[in-house]
Amino acid sequence: MDLTTTTLLQDTISRLAHLPPSPHPVVSLFVNTRPDGPGRPNYMAFVKKAFAERIRSFPERSDARGRLEADRERVLELLTGTLEPAGRSLAVYASDGDELWETHAFGVPFDEERLVVGPVPHLYPLVKLADQSPLYAVCVVDVNLARIVVCGLGEVLTEDDFASPEPIDRTRVAGWAEVRYQSRIEDHIRKNAREIADHLARAVERNGRVGFVVLAGDEPFLSEVRRALSAPVIEKLVDVERIPIDAGAHDILRRTIEAVRGAEASESRRLADTAIDRFRSGGLGVAGLQATIEALNRGQVDILLVAESFDGTPGWQCAECRILGVPPTPSACPFCDAPVPEEVDLREAMVRRAEGTGGGVEIVETHPSLEGLDGVGGLLRFRV
């Protein structure tokens, strides 16, 4: 998996969120293609069973059933072929009637395997994956060399090694007693630290979706680099590790991935705290199912906050104006008078609405206050 493909995941989510409802079945499949433990993955059994159940829900010899059967055959052909060796999971979007066919492989697993058939692509599993496995940079340093490794979605994406501009001969340092030579060495160390900090700043700026930075190496040079970091990089700094400069890229990934996941979870909880504080004070925050849906309908939500425990709540959506609502389902849309709205899973529909209006989505783990407010809330762009 390359960096371009991975950083385009959010663009993929946004694009799929803007697709209009289709009159044809749209397949959204999420499977884990590598086992976490010993044994063979069992995704084929799941896929065959799930497709059989969905196909039976359509009338025999109907156009929809025929198209769904065609999608199944194409998916099974894909899964029995050669999948990406490094991939641990696979998302497939398919619609024979709309000529839709997209496959996306990832280095981290989905928390559950799902097959969803509906009028639009199902987005929540991709949104959760993007949120909980963010793009981050690791900078491993010593006085003469630095390495910047960019990681995301459980994979090493890019590596950049570069030598310091002022090489320091360590074998001579210990024997240099004269003050002027020691002063020269200290100047070279500071220059090298500034150069490394500049390289890191450019790497973060170049990969605009880098959300976190990990600094690694040995003291005291590590402290010198830390002092030279720019403000935008310091804001993203989440951890400092003792990783040797000759560590392999995948070893660097293994040593840092949990720290970054923890930092992302903490950031999500902080955003939920902020939204609830603003909601309580009457500011640019909202909480609770009804109020959050109303804010989404008005396009107010900048960041939608969804508790991980919020799951499977039924609701309705107008097929014409796409307004969302909570039960009971009205006989006609109260906004545009279109006939009986369709029933939807509100979690998926709210995520889709937020992505479709240019907002972000944060999945929040273990937040009692948010969970006590129906499990949803948001940071707002404006008040009404």
PDB file of all heavy atoms in Angstrom, residues 13-20 352 355-358:
ATOM      1  N   ILE A  13     -14.030   8.358   1.064  1.00  0.00           N
ATOM      2  CA  ILE A  13     -15.212   8.419   1.925  1.00  0.00           C
ATOM      3  C   ILE A  13     -16.100   9.591   1.521  1.00  0.00           C
ATOM      4  O   ILE A  13     -17.323   9.451   1.387  1.00  0.00           O
ATOM      5  CB  ILE A  13     -14.785   8.543   3.402  1.00  0.00           C
ATOM      6  CG1 ILE A  13     -14.119   7.246   3.868  1.00  0.00           C
ATOM      7  CG2 ILE A  13     -15.991   8.870   4.285  1.00  0.00           C
ATOM      8  CD1 ILE A  13     -13.450   7.350   5.219  1.00  0.00           C
ATOM      9  N   SER A  14     -15.484  10.753   1.309  1.00  0.00           N
ATOM     10  CA  SER A  14     -16.254  11.939   0.934  1.00  0.00           C
ATOM     11  C   SER A  14     -16.951  11.742  -0.418  1.00  0.00           C
ATOM     12  O   SER A  14     -18.124  12.100  -0.584  1.00  0.00           O
ATOM     13  CB  SER A  14     -15.331  13.154   0.888  1.00  0.00           C
ATOM     14  OG  SER A  14     -16.035  14.311   0.498  1.00  0.00           O
ATOM     15  N   ARG A  15     -16.235  11.154  -1.371  1.00  0.00           N
ATOM     16  CA  ARG A  15     -16.833  10.931  -2.692  1.00  0.00           C
ATOM     17  C   ARG A  15     -18.026   9.970  -2.610  1.00  0.00           C
ATOM     18  O   ARG A  15     -19.084  10.215  -3.197  1.00  0.00           O
ATOM     19  CB  ARG A  15     -15.774  10.377  -3.643  1.00  0.00           C
ATOM     20  CG  ARG A  15     -16.296   9.983  -5.010  1.00  0.00           C
ATOM     21  CD  ARG A  15     -15.160   9.589  -5.937  1.00  0.00           C
ATOM     22  NE  ARG A  15     -14.261   8.630  -5.322  1.00  0.00           N
ATOM     23  CZ  ARG A  15     -14.535   7.322  -5.216  1.00  0.00           C
ATOM     24  NH1 ARG A  15     -15.694   6.845  -5.645  1.00  0.00           N
ATOM     25  NH2 ARG A  15     -13.661   6.499  -4.675  1.00  0.00           N
ATOM     26  N   LEU A  16     -17.847   8.879  -1.867  1.00  0.00           N
ATOM     27  CA  LEU A  16     -18.940   7.916  -1.731  1.00  0.00           C
ATOM     28  C   LEU A  16     -20.133   8.524  -0.983  1.00  0.00           C
ATOM     29  O   LEU A  16     -21.282   8.177  -1.249  1.00  0.00           O
ATOM     30  CB  LEU A  16     -18.451   6.664  -1.010  1.00  0.00           C
ATOM     31  CG  LEU A  16     -17.435   5.804  -1.771  1.00  0.00           C
ATOM     32  CD1 LEU A  16     -16.904   4.689  -0.875  1.00  0.00           C
ATOM     33  CD2 LEU A  16     -18.050   5.209  -3.037  1.00  0.00           C
ATOM     34  N   ALA A  17     -19.839   9.435  -0.049  1.00  0.00           N
ATOM     35  CA  ALA A  17     -20.914  10.075   0.705  1.00  0.00           C
ATOM     36  C   ALA A  17     -21.781  10.962  -0.173  1.00  0.00           C
ATOM     37  O   ALA A  17     -22.944  11.225   0.160  1.00  0.00           O
ATOM     38  CB  ALA A  17     -20.334  10.892   1.853  1.00  0.00           C
ATOM     39  N   HIS A  18     -21.235  11.414  -1.299  1.00  0.00           N
ATOM     40  CA  HIS A  18     -21.986  12.299  -2.185  1.00  0.00           C
ATOM     41  C   HIS A  18     -22.753  11.548  -3.274  1.00  0.00           C
ATOM     42  O   HIS A  18     -23.475  12.180  -4.053  1.00  0.00           O
ATOM     43  CB  HIS A  18     -21.036  13.319  -2.836  1.00  0.00           C
ATOM     44  CG  HIS A  18     -20.635  14.436  -1.915  1.00  0.00           C
ATOM     45  ND1 HIS A  18     -19.554  14.343  -1.060  1.00  0.00           N
ATOM     46  CD2 HIS A  18     -21.173  15.671  -1.708  1.00  0.00           C
ATOM     47  CE1 HIS A  18     -19.439  15.466  -0.383  1.00  0.00           C
ATOM     48  NE2 HIS A  18     -20.394  16.278  -0.749  1.00  0.00           N
ATOM     49  N   LEU A  19     -22.591  10.234  -3.367  1.00  0.00           N
ATOM     50  CA  LEU A  19     -23.328   9.499  -4.394  1.00  0.00           C
ATOM     51  C   LEU A  19     -24.821   9.516  -4.069  1.00  0.00           C
ATOM     52  O   LEU A  19     -25.217   9.253  -2.932  1.00  0.00           O
ATOM     53  CB  LEU A  19     -22.842   8.046  -4.470  1.00  0.00           C
ATOM     54  CG  LEU A  19     -21.434   7.805  -5.037  1.00  0.00           C
ATOM     55  CD1 LEU A  19     -21.128   6.314  -5.058  1.00  0.00           C
ATOM     56  CD2 LEU A  19     -21.299   8.402  -6.436  1.00  0.00           C
ATOM     57  N   PRO A  20     -25.665   9.816  -5.046  1.00  0.00           N
ATOM     58  CA  PRO A  20     -27.108   9.820  -4.776  1.00  0.00           C
ATOM     59  C   PRO A  20     -27.632   8.392  -4.605  1.00  0.00           C
ATOM     60  O   PRO A  20     -26.999   7.431  -5.054  1.00  0.00           O
ATOM     61  CB  PRO A  20     -27.686  10.472  -6.035  1.00  0.00           C
ATOM     62  CG  PRO A  20     -26.692  10.140  -7.111  1.00  0.00           C
ATOM     63  CD  PRO A  20     -25.348  10.148  -6.448  1.00  0.00           C
ATOM     64  N   ARG A 352     -22.937   9.567   7.174  1.00  0.00           N
ATOM     65  CA  ARG A 352     -22.990   9.922   5.751  1.00  0.00           C
ATOM     66  C   ARG A 352     -23.350  11.394   5.575  1.00  0.00           C
ATOM     67  O   ARG A 352     -22.775  12.094   4.739  1.00  0.00           O
ATOM     68  CB  ARG A 352     -24.009   9.026   5.048  1.00  0.00           C
ATOM     69  CG  ARG A 352     -24.086   9.243   3.562  1.00  0.00           C
ATOM     70  CD  ARG A 352     -25.092   8.302   2.906  1.00  0.00           C
ATOM     71  NE  ARG A 352     -25.098   8.515   1.477  1.00  0.00           N
ATOM     72  CZ  ARG A 352     -24.220   7.981   0.631  1.00  0.00           C
ATOM     73  NH1 ARG A 352     -23.281   7.195   1.096  1.00  0.00           N
ATOM     74  NH2 ARG A 352     -24.273   8.234  -0.646  1.00  0.00           N
ATOM     75  N   GLU A 355     -20.258  13.567   6.509  1.00  0.00           N
ATOM     76  CA  GLU A 355     -19.247  13.518   5.452  1.00  0.00           C
ATOM     77  C   GLU A 355     -19.720  14.255   4.207  1.00  0.00           C
ATOM     78  O   GLU A 355     -18.931  14.917   3.526  1.00  0.00           O
ATOM     79  CB  GLU A 355     -18.918  12.063   5.114  1.00  0.00           C
ATOM     80  CG  GLU A 355     -18.220  11.286   6.224  1.00  0.00           C
ATOM     81  CD  GLU A 355     -16.762  11.673   6.376  1.00  0.00           C
ATOM     82  OE1 GLU A 355     -16.245  12.430   5.531  1.00  0.00           O
ATOM     83  OE2 GLU A 355     -16.138  11.230   7.365  1.00  0.00           O
ATOM     84  N   GLY A 356     -21.001  14.151   3.905  1.00  0.00           N
ATOM     85  CA  GLY A 356     -21.540  14.786   2.704  1.00  0.00           C
ATOM     86  C   GLY A 356     -21.622  16.294   2.791  1.00  0.00           C
ATOM     87  O   GLY A 356     -21.706  16.978   1.768  1.00  0.00           O
ATOM     88  N   THR A 357     -21.602  16.842   4.007  1.00  0.00           N
ATOM     89  CA  THR A 357     -21.643  18.297   4.181  1.00  0.00           C
ATOM     90  C   THR A 357     -20.272  18.863   4.555  1.00  0.00           C
ATOM     91  O   THR A 357     -20.172  19.991   5.041  1.00  0.00           O
ATOM     92  CB  THR A 357     -22.677  18.685   5.249  1.00  0.00           C
ATOM     93  OG1 THR A 357     -22.383  17.987   6.470  1.00  0.00           O
ATOM     94  CG2 THR A 357     -24.085  18.341   4.801  1.00  0.00           C
ATOM     95  N   GLY A 358     -19.213  18.060   4.346  1.00  0.00           N
ATOM     96  CA  GLY A 358     -17.859  18.543   4.565  1.00  0.00           C
ATOM     97  C   GLY A 358     -17.405  18.515   6.006  1.00  0.00           C
ATOM     98  O   GLY A 358     -16.378  19.114   6.339  1.00  0.00           O
TER      99      GLY A 358
END
